[in-house]
Amino acid sequence: MKKLITEKQIKKRVRELGSRITNDYRGSVPVFIGILKGVLCFLPDLLRATNLSVELDFVVISFYHGNKKPGMLILEREIGMDIEGRHVILVDDILDTGKTLDFLVDHIKKKGAKDISICVLLEKEKEREVNIKPDYIGFSIPDKFVIGYGLDYQERFRNLPFIGVME
Ligand code: IMP
Ligand code: MG
């Protein structure tokens, strides 16, 4: 495993994202919606870097592995609050194919959110089938499999304080 982004770099960048969100949402109370489990380190740090009144909720997404509809996404945990008319900030660990965020943006729109912005810690530099453009991006990284700071390989390595590349 090779270190790609250090703990210090993450801390600095998360503080910058928090300041930007604070400026952009000044005077309103946005709802942060985190996608578990990958967002488990990033979201709490981001919230602490944001100087606003905020509300918080989580969704859990999984992939359907059967043979009827391969690749279909399943919402395992639904948003638990009423987000109609609210400013939503959807937060994920990493933008890869974009399918997860595309699915959730659609879902959140149907629930009547006033507007939605997307915040990801990492974005893989690659061509995407879906058109997802995050409003807040921590780092753009090469199209490699990464772990740490919430990101797992077979449920392990989420507790690394830095981002590493699997070799
Ligand atoms: P999507 O392909 O953009 O829908 O990404 C789906 C999810 O796959 C992300 O939210 C991550 O949890 C996971 N994922 C994608 N790339 C990586 C990676 O390099 N390491 C760990 N998890 C990843
Ligand atoms: Mg995830």
Side-chain angles (χ1 to χ4, degrees), residues 26-52:
R26 204 176 292 285
S28 61
V29 183
V31 182
F32 283 73
I33 297 181
I35 307 170
L36 289 175
K37 304 172 199 170
V39 85
L40 126 117
C41 297
F42 177 44
L43 184 56
D45 286 348
L46 182 67
L47 287 174
R48 282 178 291 215
T50 304
N51 186 16
L52 289 171

Side-chain angles (χ1 to χ4, degrees), residues 21 25 30-36 39 42-43 46 57-61 75 79 83 87-93 98-109 113 115-121 132-137:
I21 290 173
Y25 286 86
V31 182
F32 283 73
I33 297 181
I35 307 170
L36 289 175
V39 85
F42 177 44
L43 184 56
L46 182 67
D57 208 344
F58 294 101
V59 290
V60 179
I61 293 282
L75 189 60
I79 301 162
I83 56 164
H87 302 288
V88 170
I89 305 176
L90 182 59
V91 187
D92 203 2
D93 50 359
K99 282 184 182 153
T100 307
L101 286 167
D102 190 49
F103 172 84
L104 280 170
V105 165
D106 197 49
H107 182 71
I108 290 167
K109 273 187 192 154
D115 49 56
I116 309 166
S117 68
I118 295 173
C119 176
V120 292
L121 177 69
I132 288 284
K133 296 261 178 284
D135 303 271
Y136 307 95
I137 299 170

Side-chain angles (χ1 to χ4, degrees), residues 16-17 27 30 38 40 43 53 73 89-90 95-97 131 144 147:
E16 289 167 0
L17 293 177
L40 126 117
L43 184 56
S53 292
L73 290 160
I89 305 176
L90 182 59
L95 170 62
D96 183 12
T97 65
N131 183 30
K144 302 231 170 86
I147 50 168

Side-chain angles (χ1 to χ4, degrees), residues 49-164:
T50 304
N51 186 16
L52 289 171
S53 292
V54 304
E55 292 178 24
L56 173 64
D57 208 344
F58 294 101
V59 290
V60 179
I61 293 282
S62 72
F63 288 89
Y64 173 81
H65 287 297
N67 51 14
K68 271 192 196 149
K69 285 184 176 174
M72 191 181 71
L73 290 160
I74 300 162
L75 189 60
E76 297 248 21
R77 185 195 186 273
E78 168 65 295
I79 301 162
M81 58 169 68
D82 182 9
I83 56 164
E84 195 175 337
R86 302 298 301 271
H87 302 288
V88 170
I89 305 176
L90 182 59
V91 187
D92 203 2
D93 50 359
I94 187 164
L95 170 62
D96 183 12
T97 65
K99 282 184 182 153
T100 307
L101 286 167
D102 190 49
F103 172 84
L104 280 170
V105 165
D106 197 49
H107 182 71
I108 290 167
K109 273 187 192 154
K110 283 186 191 139
K111 298 204 138 234
K114 186 166 188 193
D115 49 56
I116 309 166
S117 68
I118 295 173
C119 176
V120 292
L121 177 69
L122 306 171
E123 175 203 44
K124 286 189 187 172
E125 288 159 350
K126 68 198 280 185
E127 291 276 323
R128 290 192 182 81
E129 292 161 40
V130 296
N131 183 30
I132 288 284
K133 296 261 178 284
D135 303 271
Y136 307 95
I137 299 170
F139 303 89
S140 291
I141 61 165
D143 187 13
K144 302 231 170 86
F145 196 84
V146 290
I147 50 168
Y149 196 64
L151 291 116
D152 72 304
Y153 171 64
Q154 297 184 351
E155 291 304 325
R156 305 240 176 128
F157 309 108
R158 293 192 198 274
N159 57 327
L160 295 176
F162 56 86
I163 304 285

Side-chain angles (χ1 to χ4, degrees), residues 5-19 45-46 49 121 138-139 149:
I5 305 168
T6 66
E7 192 174 0
K8 202 171 155 198
Q9 288 172 312
I10 296 172
K11 283 212 172 104
K12 177 166 180 276
R13 190 68 185 130
V14 170
R15 274 200 300 271
E16 289 167 0
L17 293 177
S19 306
D45 286 348
L46 182 67
L121 177 69
F139 303 89
Y149 196 64

